[in-house]
Amino acid sequence: MKRYGLLGYPLGHSFSARFFAEKFRREGIDAEYVNFEMPSVEGLRAFVASDPALCGLNVTIPHKQAVIPHLDALTDEAQAIGAVNVIAIERREGALRLVGANTDAVGFRRSIEPLLRPCHRRALVLGTGGASRAVVYVLRRLGIEPHYVSRRERPGAFTYASLTADDVRAHHVIVNCSPVGMYPHTDECPALPYEALTEEHLLYDLVYNPEETLFMRRGRERGATVKNGMEMLRLQALAAWDIWTR
């Protein structure tokens, strides 16, 4: 039986395991998908080498950037983004080769593109982790100027403390790439001046559990278009499967 899995920490509410278990059952695929909770990726190569049935990995928080030094190659897109969420495992004549890819970008683009309007020219990207890198990569290619919002000061970025209502009015796309608001912390949301939101705003939350986060609800109450990250997750997972099985 072939084995695939998710590498991250923690993984208590993983989407991928449920998605692939259903896919394998529905399509009669003789494979399993396992959550591998690892606080560190230092032993990644030894771990993969020890399991000959392992054919591919997804990578999630907090390892999307940390895995890169442990890989043999990156796809052009993963290299440009600077983050990996898929690892293809190649075993040839006893040699192990790990190739990093990024399917967050294709998932996000296909998910958000139908919602975009001419007024969506500038974006606030909440969070600075691996997922936000894919989001920024896509936004730039869609002709949308992105600006990070971070808890800490960093060049060219807003902080939550410095962000004003005028800043929100000037950025009609807001993408939450942070885990704020994720179950079980459903009473939390990013610290924004929500009173500045309008019907021209699009709020996209990469969080998918709960289905409607407080971030989304506060946007919807101001007339904004809102969407969660479930479709993006499904699209990136299907793209990962294509990489593993091509």
Side-chain angles (χ1 to χ4, degrees), residues 137-176:
Y137 174 86
V138 169
L139 291 172
R140 286 175 174 155
R141 277 149 186 77
L142 291 171
I144 300 170
E145 180 184 353
H147 294 94
Y148 282 109
V149 182
S150 174
R151 290 176 297 172
R152 303 177 183 87
E153 291 187 5
R154 53 178 288 172
F158 295 100
T159 64
Y160 289 99
S162 70
L163 197 68
T164 68
D166 284 342
D167 293 326
V168 169
R169 293 187 189 101
H171 296 78
H172 287 119
V173 178
I174 305 178
V175 186
N176 180 33

Side-chain angles (χ1 to χ4, degrees), residues 66-97:
V67 296
I68 292 176
H70 304 278
L71 306 178
D72 297 293
L74 299 178
T75 64
D76 290 345
E77 194 162 56
Q79 181 73 48
I81 293 169
V84 161
N85 76 312
V86 176
I87 299 175
I89 300 171
E90 301 174 1
R91 305 176 195 268
R92 296 175 184 172
E93 300 178 355
L96 177 65
R97 188 168 185 264

Side-chain angles (χ1 to χ4, degrees), residues 107-129:
F108 177 67
R109 178 164 188 153
R110 291 177 181 173
S111 180
I112 198 173
E113 202 164 12
L115 303 176
L116 296 176
R117 293 183 282 160
C119 62
H120 295 147
R121 296 189 295 271
R122 303 175 77 195
L124 296 174
V125 178
L126 313 181
T128 57

Side-chain angles (χ1 to χ4, degrees), residues 124-127 160 174-181 190 204-207 215:
L124 296 174
V125 178
L126 313 181
Y160 289 99
I174 305 178
V175 186
N176 180 33
C177 302
S178 79
V180 177
Y204 191 110
D205 200 334
L206 268 60
V207 172
F215 167 75

Side-chain angles (χ1 to χ4, degrees), residues 124-238:
L124 296 174
V125 178
L126 313 181
T128 57
S132 70
R133 287 175 173 256
V135 166
V136 165
Y137 174 86
V138 169
L139 291 172
R140 286 175 174 155
R141 277 149 186 77
L142 291 171
I144 300 170
E145 180 184 353
H147 294 94
Y148 282 109
V149 182
S150 174
R151 290 176 297 172
R152 303 177 183 87
E153 291 187 5
R154 53 178 288 172
F158 295 100
T159 64
Y160 289 99
S162 70
L163 197 68
T164 68
D166 284 342
D167 293 326
V168 169
R169 293 187 189 101
H171 296 78
H172 287 119
V173 178
I174 305 178
V175 186
N176 180 33
C177 302
S178 79
V180 177
M182 182 185 297
Y183 180 87
H185 304 291
T186 57
D187 59 344
E188 299 177 4
C189 63
L192 303 174
Y194 289 93
E195 69 277 5
L197 296 175
T198 69
E199 294 180 357
E200 292 187 334
H201 278 86
L202 166 60
L203 272 59
Y204 191 110
D205 200 334
L206 268 60
V207 172
Y208 58 91
N209 183 11
E211 185 174 339
E212 183 181 67
T213 61
L214 182 56
F215 167 75
M216 293 170 59
R217 184 163 77 248
R218 295 188 70 174
R220 178 176 54 78
E221 290 170 351
R222 300 291 299 180
T225 300
V226 300
K227 185 164 187 171
N228 71 18
M230 180 57 75
E231 184 182 38
M232 173 183 167
L233 279 167
R234 292 183 180 279
L235 290 168
Q236 68 82 19
L238 290 171

